[in-house]
Each structure stands twice: as structure tokens, then as C-alpha cells.
Amino acid sequence: MLLAILIYITGAFGSTTTRCKESERHALLKIKENLRGHGDGFLTSWGNEEEKRECCEWIGIRCDNKSGHVIRLDLSPSTLGRGLFDPFEGNLSYSLVDLQYLHYLDLSFIQFYENSITSFIGSLSKLRYLNLSYTNMTGDDLPQLGNLSSLQFLDLCYNDNLEIKNMEWASHLSSLQLLDLSYTNMSFAYDWENVVNNLPHLKYLKLIYCDLPDIVLPSLSVVNSSKVLAIIDLSYNYDLSSSIFQGFSTIAIVLFILTSLIAY
Ligand SMILES: *[C@@H]1O[C@H](CO)[C@@H](O)[C@H](O)[C@H]1NC(C)=O
Ligand SMILES: *[C@@H]1O[C@H](CO)[C@@H](O)[C@H](O)[C@H]1NC(C)=O
Ligand SMILES: *[C@@H]1O[C@H](CO)[C@@H](O)[C@H](O)[C@H]1NC(C)=O
Ligand SMILES: *[C@@H]1O[C@H](CO)[C@@H](O)[C@H](O)[C@H]1NC(C)=O
Ligand SMILES: *[C@@H]1O[C@H](CO)[C@@H](O)[C@H](O)[C@H]1NC(C)=O
Ligand SMILES: *[C@@H]1O[C@H](CO)[C@@H](O)[C@H](O)[C@H]1NC(C)=O
Ligand SMILES: *[C@@H]1O[C@H](CO)[C@@H](O)[C@H](O)[C@H]1NC(C)=O
């Protein structure tokens, strides 16, 4: 009986302790402050009020069960239940760097104002998933993404003004399984094939409509890959010639041909 009461009491206390870290809650509120959404549904669960103290229960947030640190920030349309092209825009607050335990960051379909995006994401060293597709990202400030050595999924597609001048940064992402750079500008990324070919865990590669440079470099013949890419989609890259076939394994070539046929 006494034991039951004790369990009841500790249970009750347990449920009133807030897991959310004060500094991380503060950072999340700063992130919200810098964004604008329209309509009633704009991050209403996020707030300063006493009853909203537990940021681990805010929509789009997940905390680590043990430490209470925020490990997931997902503001994607599907998670928030907003329409794909509902206006959702603003600046990315520098406070994001206070969320050092993030594993998962999805800011897809937020229209960020000028160049506000990549400059400090490289410091979130625990990231495994980063989705910045459709975020109006501009410039060529990607090298610091090379610091994200745990990254497994990277989606930067549909940022037409993003110029990826070389892929050296990606060669440091040795855990990468999925890479989608479709609809970015890679017209000067001559090293792309060499880099992706040397990523040991890469399975999904999408470089649709990237204006890829044709690769007819003699160095290609020394590319030696025993890795099998499961899916590779290079459609709508009009300058590419069949010379890239040398570098990839058979399955990749088959898929390349398939996607080329679909494309033309
Ligand atoms: C974004 O930053 C600019 C310049 O710092 C500022 O003028 C603007 O009000 C900010 N927008 C939002 C939604 O916070
Ligand atoms: C963390 O807690 C959630 C909800 O209580 C539960 O669904 C999940 O399985 C837990 N995860 C771990 C790793 O214990
Ligand atoms: C990134 O986000 C978009 C839109 O939310 C989604 O369609 C896409 O599948 C995501 N990418 C990955 C790799 O999960
Ligand atoms: C997209 O970025 C450009 C600058 O590159 C900026 O002028 C424009 O306002 C941004 N669009 C939106 C919807 O924020
Ligand atoms: C990336 O890593 C280098 C070396 O470890 C460090 O000097 C640099 O500050 C890091 N960049 C970011 C954006 O964290
Ligand atoms: C891609 O970027 C280069 C400069 O790096 C520029 O000359 C070219 O016009 C851009 N292509 C497109 C389709 O915007
Ligand atoms: C390719 O790599 C394999 C195993 O790593 C090695 O045995 C082989 O000699 C290499 N071939 C060339 C042409 O470098």
C-alpha cells in the first residue's frame, strides 16, 4: 500500500517536471519570432505562457527522452499540416545554434529572405537529417556543410539560385546515404562525379535539372568504385554525355538509362 502511494507520488511529480531546457525553449521562441505565417495555425502550440512551458510537446519538436534536449525540429508542411504554398517566410534566427543536440532539421518550404540560411547550420554537428528543400536559399556558401560529418540525408533541392560551384565539401560527408541537389545550379561543379563516387554509403542520388557540366576528363577512367548506387537520377542535364558511364557501376548505369529515357 505504502509502496503504491510512493509510486503514485513520484509518478505525479514526474509528470509535472518539465523536460524542456530553458535555453532551448528560448531559442525556439526566437526562431518563431523571426518567422511569419498567416492563418490561425501558425505555431500556436509554441509560446511563453505557463501552460506551454513544455517545449518538448510543441508541434514539430521532439526531445531526447533521457536528456530532454531538443533533437528534432520539423517545420515541414506535412508535419505542421499547412498547405505546400501557404506563405511561411522570414529570417532564420541565429538562435538555431543553441540547439546543439539536433539530429533532425526540416525547414522545407519556408521562404527565407536573402541569404539568411546556410551560414551557421554547419555548426550543428550532430545532424543526421537536413532538409532545406524549397527554402529560397541563394549564394554559394556550402563549404561549411562539410562539417556535418554525421549527416545521412541531405536535401537541398529546388533552390534555383543556389550555386554549387564544387562538391569538395560533400566529400567530408562520409555517412551520406541520400543526396538530392535537384534544381540547383551545378554548372561549374566539375568534381561532382568523383565526389559522389567516393561517398561510401551513398544510395540515393538525385541531380535532376542541375545543368551538370559534361565530364570528358581523362581522369575519369581511373575512377574505381565497387559501390552500387541504388537510385541515381540525372535527368534533364542536357550537357551530359555518355562518358560518365565509365565511372558508375552497372545498376547505376541501368537506372541512368531509364531515367534518361523518361526524361527525353
Ligand atoms: C528579417 O530581417 C530583416 C533585416 O534584418 C528585418 O528587416 C525583417 O524585419 C526581418 N523579418 C522578420 C519576419 O523578422
Ligand atoms: C520516448 O518516448 C516516446 C513517447 O513517450 C516513446 O514513444 C518512445 O518510444 C521513447 N523512445 C525511447 C528511445 O525510449
Ligand atoms: C524534404 O522535404 C520535402 C517537403 O517537405 C519532402 O517532399 C522531401 O521528401 C523531403 N526530403 C527527404 C530526403 O526526406
Ligand atoms: C528570395 O531571396 C531573394 C534574394 O536572393 C530575395 O530577394 C527574395 O525576397 C526572397 N524571396 C522570399 C519570398 O523571401
Ligand atoms: C567547421 O570545422 C572547422 C574545423 O573543425 C572549424 O574551424 C569551423 O569553425 C567549423 N565551422 C562551423 C560553421 O562550425
Ligand atoms: C549558374 O551559375 C553560373 C555562375 O556560376 C551562371 O553563369 C549561370 O547563368 C547559372 N545558370 C542558371 C541556369 O542560372
Ligand atoms: C579497384 O579497387 C579494387 C579494390 O579496392 C582493387 O583491387 C583494384 O585493383 C582497383 N582497380 C583499379 C583499376 O584501380
Side-chain angles (χ1 to χ4, degrees), residues 160-165 184-188 209-211:
D160 331 10
N161 293 318
L162 190 64
E163 284 175 23
I164 302 180
K165 294 198 164 129
T184 62
N185 182 348
M186 295 179 66
S187 53
F188 287 90
Y209 216 101
C210 289
D211 202 7

Side-chain angles (χ1 to χ4, degrees), residues 33-36 90-91 113:
E33 242 170 60
N34 281 277
L35 295 175
R36 295 283 174 278
N91 302 314
Y113 303 149

Side-chain angles (χ1 to χ4, degrees), residues 76-188:
S76 65
S78 48
T79 299
L80 298 190
R82 62 187 166 102
L84 277 192
F85 295 101
D86 277 356
F88 204 61
E89 59 186 35
N91 302 314
L92 185 61
S93 168
Y94 184 75
S95 302
L96 189 66
V97 303
D98 292 334
L99 303 174
Q100 275 299 321
Y101 294 85
L102 278 184
H103 288 170
Y104 189 107
L105 179 60
D106 189 338
L107 301 173
S108 59
F109 281 96
I110 299 178
Q111 291 300 299
F112 288 108
Y113 303 149
E114 205 165 343
N115 252 345
S116 55
I117 189 142
T118 59
S119 46
F120 45 84
I121 283 184
S123 71
L124 300 172
S125 60
K126 295 195 166 59
L127 280 185
R128 293 183 206 145
Y129 179 99
L130 177 58
N131 193 338
L132 300 176
S133 60
Y134 302 86
T135 50
N136 194 34
M137 211 197 302
T138 57
D140 52 10
D141 195 14
L142 288 178
Q144 30 79 45
L145 290 186
N147 275 24
L148 303 177
S149 55
S150 305
L151 211 55
Q152 297 170 0
F153 303 89
L154 177 59
D155 190 343
L156 299 176
C157 75
Y158 287 94
N159 289 293
D160 331 10
N161 293 318
L162 190 64
E163 284 175 23
I164 302 180
K165 294 198 164 129
N166 67 71
M167 290 285 286
E168 199 278 331
W169 55 276
S171 64
H172 304 286
L173 306 180
S174 56
S175 309
L176 212 56
Q177 297 177 20
L178 179 150
L179 179 62
D180 191 345
L181 302 176
S182 299
Y183 298 88
T184 62
N185 182 348
M186 295 179 66
S187 53
F188 287 90

Side-chain angles (χ1 to χ4, degrees), residues 188-229:
F188 287 90
Y190 293 100
D191 57 348
W192 72 269
E193 197 214 18
N194 213 345
V195 170
V196 300
N197 227 359
N198 286 304
L199 290 170
H201 301 291
L202 194 67
K203 292 193 187 73
Y204 303 93
L205 174 67
K206 280 195 184 175
L207 303 175
I208 304 168
Y209 216 101
C210 289
D211 202 7
L212 289 175
D214 192 10
I215 305 173
V216 282
L217 305 173
S219 66
L220 252 191
S221 53
V222 300
V223 172
N224 180 5
S225 169
S226 51
K227 169 173 54 74
V228 175
L229 278 164

